[in-house]
Every structure is written in C-alpha cells, then in structure tokens.
Amino acid sequence: MSLNPPFRADHVGSFLRPAYLLQAREQKAKGEITAAQLREVEDRAITEIVKFQADVGLQSITDGEFRRTYFHIDFLEQLGGVKTDIPVTIRKPDGTEELAPPVIRVIDKVRHAKNIQLADFQYLQAQVKALGLPGLMPKVTIPSPTMLHFRGGRAGISKEAYPELDPVFYDDVAQAYADELQSLADAGCTYVQMDDTNMAYLCDEKMREAARQRGDDPNELPHRYASFINKVVDKKPKGMTLAMHLCRGNFKSTHAAAGNYEPVAEALLSEMRLDAFFLEYDDDRSGDFRPLRYLSKGKTVVLGLVTTKFGQLESKDDLKRRIDEAAKYAPLEQLCLSPQCGFSSTVHGNNIAVEDQRKKLALVVETAREVWGSV
C-alpha cells in the first residue's frame, strides 16, 4: 500500500448520483426543501460513496462531487470577480446531446472571497476517518485556473479590471487559488486535483482554430498556461500533492475534443511543475503514448485507460499491454492507472450502470496490483 498520491490505482473523482439525491435536488429547485435539508441528503450520499470507494479497494477517496451540478461552474462562480452562466445542452442531428461550453467572465479583480471547499472537505475527511482504515486519503477536486482565460480569451476578461493580463491577472488568479489551497491544507488536506479541459482542447484542431479566431496562438497557449499553473504551484502548501486531470469532455458519455497530446506535451509534462497528470487514453481519440517521453523525473502520469463512458468492461490483458506500451516512453515507476474521467462530471451522469461503475474500479485496482504489486 502506497502512502503518497497519486496511487497506482487512482480515479478522477466524480460518481453517479443516487436517485434519492437527484430527487432532493429537484425538490430544492422547486423550493420544496431548504438548502440545509438538501445538504443533509448530500451528507448521506457522500457517506455511502466514501464507503463504496474503500470497499472497492481505492486509497484516494472523494466526495463523488455530490454537492455539485457541474464540475467547474459551482467552484468558479464563488471566486470574487467571476461571473458564470449555466451551460446549455445542445441536441445534435444524430440525437446525442452535447454540453455547450459555459460562459465564464471575469468582471472584476479576481480574489479569494471565501473558503470554497473547506466545509465540504471537512465532512469528507470525517467520513474517511470514521471508517478507521489505514492508507485512505481524502482528495479534493477543483477546476483548473486556466478556465478563466480559455473560454473567452481576452474578450472574456474585463479591460477595466485588467487593462493588461500579464502579469497582474495571472498573479491575482494564482493568489486566489493559493488562498483556497492553504485553507484546505490548514484543515489537513494533502491531495488536490485540478480538472482542466483546455490543455486537452488544444490538442484538437477545431479548438485550436477557435483559439485563433479569438486572437490567441494555440502554439503559444500551452506554454503560457504552463507558466500560469506554475504560479499556483509556487504557492502551494508544503506537503500537498497537486495534480491535473486533462478532460476531453464527459457530458452524458459524449466527448468534445480529440487529438494526440503532442501539441501540449512538452509544456504539460516538462514545463509544468505539478506532481501528477491524469491523461485520458481510453480510445483512439487520444493518440499514442509517444508524448510521454517529455515526462520529467519526479512526476507521475496516471493512465486513464478504462473508459467511464460505456459499461463494457475492458480486458485486463489489454490494459497490461497498453501499460507496457506506455512504459516504452516513461518509466513504469512513474505511471499509475485510473479510469479516463469521472463517472458523472455533471449531475446528469454518464450512460453507465452503477454496477458497471463498481466493476470498472475493481478492474483498475486488480490490474494495478498485478502490474505494480500494490495499489
């Protein structure tokens, strides 16, 4: 059993919401129950999902993101100076649904107006401790700070508040994140994961073109974001593991981006001073493992080889073969295994059964134990 995250068998964080929690959310939206009553229901669901993770053999324990509607909006809108709109669901010609990117605007100086995740972490921490099992570690997931820039670029950031972006805007955001991380560290949190769609989107030519259209250079952005993230890393509390998950879209089992990691690999794996990177590698959309050659010593890549989008269970032999392929480009001791994303990045959840969710995680744990000798 490892004592330091990321663990050989890890996961991204979100889980399918139980029906009674979804019902309570609807009741709250209709004004039939109070926010306090909803939180009591969330508490019950989180207690259950904490035990579920421990039972399946995971060491990294999240609250399932059960208090959130969207993985990013619920956090970002609580930063001072940030305004967000609810994402819009679009039905495509083939009948599938896609979540249109939310509008995220910086309307004033960005600041840490309050502790955002503290109370949620404290409840999670208490539930993990209540199990009385060794080696379990509560993990907090938050959206990446790059989301405050990529969605709207320069046009999405107030020119009154920030006549120039560099360095003041990036410094302010980094300080806001540092204050949040410090509040968590003071409560005992040692493992935080930042969820980032933007570095993954910069692997997709359509997304790269969209960046060009709003005046950004998609070849320069990964390096700018590496510098941006490093401002946060430089301020992170001592002893905290700070990881990043690159997400290509995960709304109701759909995706938003594709493309090999090559356009961002050097900036991501060599320049960013993060401790770990969760990379989606569940299908051909992600390309081969050659970009892993940029991985610096002391950093870890968590291979997201098990899909959360569909219930069909992967072959353990295939997973081992793919881990061997990845190990040609990065040392095996710097690799771990996980599902490619969460099971429910939004409250809606992926099109997968609860029992399949369990089987997928059990497969990750079993495979990791056989490959590395531990989880």
Side-chain angles (χ1 to χ4, degrees):
M1 179 175 287
S2 174
L3 298 178
N4 299 309
F7 302 103
R8 296 300 186 189
D10 216 309
H11 66 111
V12 172
S14 64
F15 291 100
L16 298 170
R17 275 59 159 181
Y20 70 81
L21 177 55
L22 294 175
Q23 180 181 14
R25 280 185 162 275
E26 290 183 5
Q27 290 176 314
K28 170 63 174 62
K30 295 176 182 177
E32 296 172 358
I33 63 173
T34 65
Q37 289 173 314
L38 173 60
R39 193 167 182 89
E40 289 179 3
V41 178
E42 292 170 345
D43 287 351
R44 171 191 163 191
I46 290 167
T47 299
E48 292 174 357
I49 202 64
V50 165
K51 185 176 186 303
F52 166 83
Q53 292 168 79
D55 287 348
V56 85
L58 294 169
Q59 288 181 251
S60 171
I61 310 293
T62 73
D63 64 5
E65 301 184 8
F66 282 178
R67 302 195 196 276
R68 296 183 187 168
T69 304
Y70 301 96
F71 82 93
H72 46 4
I73 294 296
D74 300 58
F75 179 93
L76 294 174
E77 67 182 3
Q78 296 186 68
L79 289 172
V82 177
K83 181 174 177 55
T84 64
D85 295 334
I86 298 299
V88 177
T89 302
I90 298 172
R91 182 172 292 275
K92 297 191 288 188
D94 63 2
T96 61
E97 292 180 326
E98 183 177 76
L99 198 66
V103 176
I104 302 172
R105 299 189 301 278
V106 175
I107 60 173
D108 201 350
K109 291 284 190 179
V110 178
R111 62 196 182 282
H112 187 248
K114 61 180 178 179
N115 295 329
I116 301 172
Q117 292 292 140
L118 179 59
D120 296 349
F121 169 74
Q122 289 172 326
Y123 185 80
L124 171 64
Q125 181 184 47
Q127 301 315 299
V128 172
K129 286 183 177 179
L131 293 179
L133 299 173
L136 302 185
M137 182 175 290
K139 177 169 79 169
V140 172
T141 61
I142 60 177
S144 168
T146 67
M147 304 190 82
L148 293 179
H149 177 270
F150 187 79
R151 295 297 188 189
R154 167 74 266 194
I157 301 170
S158 167
K159 289 188 176 180
E160 288 73 29
Y162 296 105
E164 301 292 335
L165 296 186
D166 195 7
V168 184
F169 167 73
Y170 300 111
D171 287 345
D172 283 356
V173 176
Q175 188 59 56
Y177 268 72
D179 290 345
E180 178 68 12
L181 294 179
Q182 189 62 56
S183 74
L184 291 168
D186 290 343
C189 178
T190 57
Y191 191 11
V192 174
Q193 171 190 299
M194 300 190 296
D195 294 313
D196 190 299
T197 59
N198 308 318
M199 292 294 281
Y201 283 8
L202 285 168
C203 301
D204 189 302
E205 185 50 44
K206 290 184 296 184
M207 302 287 189
R208 291 169 66 82
E209 179 57 29
R212 292 187 192 99
Q213 292 299 319
R214 61 174 174 264
D216 286 312
D217 178 355
N219 294 319
E220 180 268 340
L221 277 179
H223 302 283
R224 191 195 316 178
Y225 288 161
S227 176
F228 189 9
I229 293 297
N230 285 342
K231 288 177 182 286
V232 178
V233 175
D234 288 344
K235 297 174 181 290
K236 77 166 183 172
K238 186 177 180 180
M240 176 178 284
T241 295
L242 191 58
M244 174 182 282
H245 168 241
L246 270 68
C247 179
R248 296 165 178 266
N250 195 48
F251 176 67
K252 291 186 177 181
S253 297
T254 62
H255 68 270
N260 192 290
Y261 287 108
E262 197 67 31
V264 304
E266 185 172 11
L268 182 75
L269 302 177
S270 288
E271 295 176 20
M272 281 191 191
R273 296 192 292 272
L274 291 163
D275 300 300
F277 306 88
F278 286 70
L279 301 185
E280 299 193 350
Y281 268 115
D282 58 322
D283 60 24
D284 293 340
R285 286 183 300 114
S286 300
D288 59 27
F289 295 114
R290 290 188 70 250
L292 299 183
R293 71 190 184 278
Y294 287 109
L295 184 64
S296 301
K297 290 182 179 180
K299 300 178 184 178
T300 303
V301 161
V302 186
L303 300 169
L305 303 180
V306 174
T307 191
T308 63
K309 297 182 185 298
F310 310 105
Q312 183 176 356
L313 198 62
E314 288 79 358
S315 157
K316 190 185 297 183
D317 287 341
D318 285 346
L319 294 181
K320 291 179 178 179
R321 175 183 55 78
R322 298 199 69 203
I323 293 170
D324 286 342
E325 290 176 6
K328 294 177 183 177
Y329 301 100
L332 183 62
E333 62 267 22
Q334 287 180 252
L335 301 176
C336 298
L337 178 64
S338 75
Q340 123 275 346
C341 197
F343 291 89
S344 188
S345 297
T346 73
V347 72
H348 315 85
N350 282 350
N351 299 323
I352 185 172
V354 172
E355 187 52 37
D356 289 332
Q357 178 178 252
R358 177 184 291 274
K359 291 177 181 177
K360 295 270 185 177
L361 292 169
L363 175 63
V364 168
V365 171
E366 291 167 13
T367 304
R369 186 172 288 122
E370 293 179 17
V371 171
W372 288 281
S374 68
V375 295

